[in-house]
Amino acid sequence: MAHFFEYMRGLAERRGFRKTIEGGVVQYRFTLPLGALVEVTCHDLDPSFTCLVRSEAWPAPLNATEHQNFMRAVLKANRSALSVLHAGVIEDFENPALYRLTWFVPRGERLDSEWYEGLLEFDKLYQAFQKVLRHTNSLTNSNTGGQANTVAQGQYQIFMP
């Protein structure tokens, strides 16, 4: 039985994951079996720290109508996701124009196999969200005639009063 941060430390050593350390906070980056690139944030010294597993980001559409459709798709998928894990698509902490699937890993000790199953469930959820949100973006892209409709696609947006 181990805490999640202990499980991740052992997994990172065995598999040679990329990691960055800042104080006691450790971030691991690796790809899950179905293809989700994840970033895991843990604290090596504080077992009460809530570990996070975060996916790659999805850019939110700029157009208000497209943004509403995007958020409806996120809300509907989040309702389904919460029955599987304590996870959902939320606004990115550093950039509010991006959304990430985030799993708030429960505290406590579990078997390594249980932590691995949680990562596999996260991977499946990411693939499901990817289908839903990619479909939402493809619908919005067809309406814009090929113009950039997200912050990531448009890069720089200039708004004139």
Side-chain angles (χ1 to χ4, degrees), residues 54-71:
R54 296 172 41 190
S55 71
E56 293 180 281
W58 290 284
L62 293 174
N63 179 294
T65 304
E66 295 167 358
H67 189 77
Q68 284 178 340
N69 291 337
F70 178 83
M71 293 309 294

Side-chain angles (χ1 to χ4, degrees), residues 36 54-61 70 74 78 88-92 95-102 122 125-135 137 150-152:
R54 296 172 41 190
S55 71
E56 293 180 281
W58 290 284
F70 178 83
V74 166
N78 274 351
V89 172
I90 61 171
E91 191 175 275
D92 186 45
N95 185 348
L98 300 175
Y99 288 81
R100 294 179 186 271
L101 178 60
T102 304
F122 183 86
L125 281 175
Y126 174 78
Q127 299 305 325
F129 273 101
Q130 183 73 355
K131 287 178 188 174
V132 168
L133 297 180
R134 186 182 317 139
H135 178 68
N137 283 338
T150 66
V151 171

